[in-house]
Amino acid sequence: MKRYLLLSIVAVVIVSTFSYGTKTFAAFTDIGVTHRAKDEINYLATGLITRGESDNTFRPERQVTRAEAAAMIGRALQYNGAKRVTQFSDVGADNFASGYIQQAVENNILTGYSNDIFKPNQPVARGEMAIMIGRAFGYNPRTITIASEQLISMGIAQGLPDGTFGTANYIKRSDFAVFLSRSINPQMRMLGNEPDFNQTAYVTTNDLNVRTGPGTTYPVTGQLNLGNLVQKAFEIGEWAYISYNNQQGFIHTAYLSTSKPDVTSVLSQKTIIIDPGHGYPDPGAVAYGLLESDVVLDTSLRLKEYFKKTPINIKLTREIDKKVELSDRVKFAVENKGDIFISVHANSFNGSANGTETFYYSASATNPNVAQSKALSIYLQNRLLGALELRDRGVKKGNYHVLRENKMPSSLVELGFIDYKEDNAKLASPTWREKAARGLYLGILDYYYHYEGLQEVKPLYNEVGGKPSAKLH
Ligand SMILES: [Zn+2]
């Protein structure tokens, strides 16, 4: 009983691997979980390259006809398979593979026989298969011998036990599926047969899906963003096989370019003004031997490091322990043509208050950027809460000189309370200040991404292993 139960569980787990992503298809009834070619047959089925019979069988032992081979190769190459008139007297427009046969012949992948005969129902021999695949995937074989040697050297096919390729032997549907799937996906080839990723290309859009095969029915294994650099090995139809971050997969060639997209032009116009509060001889809040002026300067300098790796400009109103007048802070922001202004502070009360809060100025008479300032504050507060894990005191209206007198979207963040023990411990810690700086970085990106719709910032999240927040404003 126990053994039976265990076997059932194993069977369920294995069968469930036939469900790729959100798309599920019934495995062929005659391809069991132990079939030697099940992975390859299911891979082709996922890409709608093999369809099996109407009774949901695959008939793995049956020979492949020339028409079937043409259809499978044509689907792999994403041909339009619409039935049509062909140049062959024995392939009528009503033949299921007429469209694939005609296009494959026009593209010099298949050839007919003399007298306009194609022999669509003739079984395919292994040597013929090697030529077909070699031509279809651009290996350009001149002879059957070369074609078979190429497939062996690439880990796509193996010779027979007698040492020959079995050129004249007819090929079974299961073996054809193995060779075709390996031709498409190098990760299915025999070990040690990595393709040559010898072409550099750039991604030209955000949220580009990387898939396990050349088609949208294949599961997604990753995403790329505008400006990401990839290495390309080959193309199949409209899809490219690429390598990035030690991963491999297929992306659509419509979103690849050999020239670097102009991500930087928009971003390089942006200047962020960071305003570390106070400075000697004004330490701001002081408790447990910690000075607000030191905490906010260190956090701001760390934030600067994040933006130095991006095209966005960042300027600090002070980079040393020296007081700057409030009016000079605003003047600095305006003179440097800042796009946004963020004043960084730490709080104090009487030792009884704690948490993180962010302020914006809500009257439009002097600084008209009320909605922008509020949105900026929302995104900064959200990220600071995630970074510092302190109490959420919320986003609030505040009548501060550096917000009120400014001319750009402006926020004032209070990281935490320097005179509250738990907050103080984090503000005193370089590790937590680094987290706060990263939080401010992500909050700024979120504001640009969600409020300004600036798609170009999307790749900047990748730099720190982050991604956009939910839309919050
Ligand atoms: Zn302060």
Side-chain angles (χ1 to χ4, degrees), residues 163-199:
T164 70
F165 191 74
T167 300
N169 297 2
Y170 292 131
I171 188 167
K172 295 175 186 173
R173 283 169 58 83
S174 53
D175 289 324
F176 191 83
V178 169
F179 299 151
L180 185 56
S181 63
R182 287 178 184 163
S183 304
I184 296 168
N185 188 345
Q187 289 180 312
M188 305 192 85
R189 293 176 193 172
M190 281 164 278
L191 287 179
N193 286 282
E194 177 124 324
D196 190 7
F197 292 97
N198 57 5
Q199 299 163 72

Side-chain angles (χ1 to χ4, degrees), residues 98-113:
S98 61
Y100 294 115
I101 290 170
Q102 182 61 27
Q103 192 171 351
V105 168
E106 285 170 6
N107 292 352
N108 296 317
I109 288 163
L110 301 182
T111 47
Y113 294 92

Side-chain angles (χ1 to χ4, degrees), residues 355-374:
T356 302
E357 58 193 1
T358 303
F359 292 92
Y360 67 100
Y361 184 65
S362 63
S364 60
T366 52
N367 186 347
N369 302 286
V370 176
Q372 293 93 328
S373 298
K374 184 179 181 184

Side-chain angles (χ1 to χ4, degrees), residues 278 292 345-346:
H278 314 281
E292 177 189 352
H345 288 257

Side-chain angles (χ1 to χ4, degrees), residues 378-453:
I378 288 170
Y379 288 110
L380 293 174
Q381 174 74 5
N382 174 55
R383 291 292 192 172
L384 284 176
L385 291 176
L388 287 168
E389 300 172 27
L390 295 176
R391 191 161 86 84
D392 182 6
R393 299 176 65 86
V395 172
K396 298 173 176 176
K397 297 170 183 174
N399 185 8
Y400 295 103
H401 180 100
V402 290
L403 304 181
R404 182 184 67 238
E405 304 300 327
N406 232 318
K407 305 297 172 198
M408 62 199 73
S410 303
S411 290
L412 187 149
V413 300
E414 296 277 7
L415 301 172
F417 279 71
I418 211 155
D419 61 348
Y420 189 87
K421 195 140 196 163
E422 185 200 349
D423 292 24
N424 179 285
K426 289 184 175 174
L427 296 174
S429 155
T431 307
W432 286 97
R433 291 201 294 258
E434 181 69 22
K435 290 184 184 189
R438 182 177 183 274
L440 291 168
Y441 174 77
L442 290 170
I444 292 166
L445 297 188
D446 290 340
Y447 169 76
Y448 278 136
Y449 185 71
H450 288 298
Y451 192 88
E452 295 196 3

Side-chain angles (χ1 to χ4, degrees), residues 97-170:
S98 61
Y100 294 115
I101 290 170
Q102 182 61 27
Q103 192 171 351
V105 168
E106 285 170 6
N107 292 352
N108 296 317
I109 288 163
L110 301 182
T111 47
Y113 294 92
S114 52
N115 302 321
D116 294 334
I117 299 292
F118 184 76
K119 302 187 183 175
N121 299 319
Q122 177 173 281
V124 175
R126 284 169 59 93
E128 187 184 4
M129 176 278 303
I131 285 277
M132 284 180 183
I133 286 183
R135 288 178 179 158
F137 293 95
Y139 312 149
N140 304 317
R142 292 192 308 279
T143 66
I144 284 181
T145 305
I146 291 172
S148 55
E149 284 169 356
Q150 284 173 332
L151 296 195
I152 290 171
S153 73
M154 293 174 75
I156 292 170
Q158 282 169 298
L160 300 180
D162 67 4
T164 70
F165 191 74
T167 300
N169 297 2
Y170 292 131

Side-chain angles (χ1 to χ4, degrees), residues 277-278 282-285 292-293 296 343-348 412-414:
H278 314 281
D282 165 25
E292 177 189 352
S293 56
V296 299
S343 195
V344 184
H345 288 257
N347 242 326
S348 69
L412 187 149
V413 300
E414 296 277 7

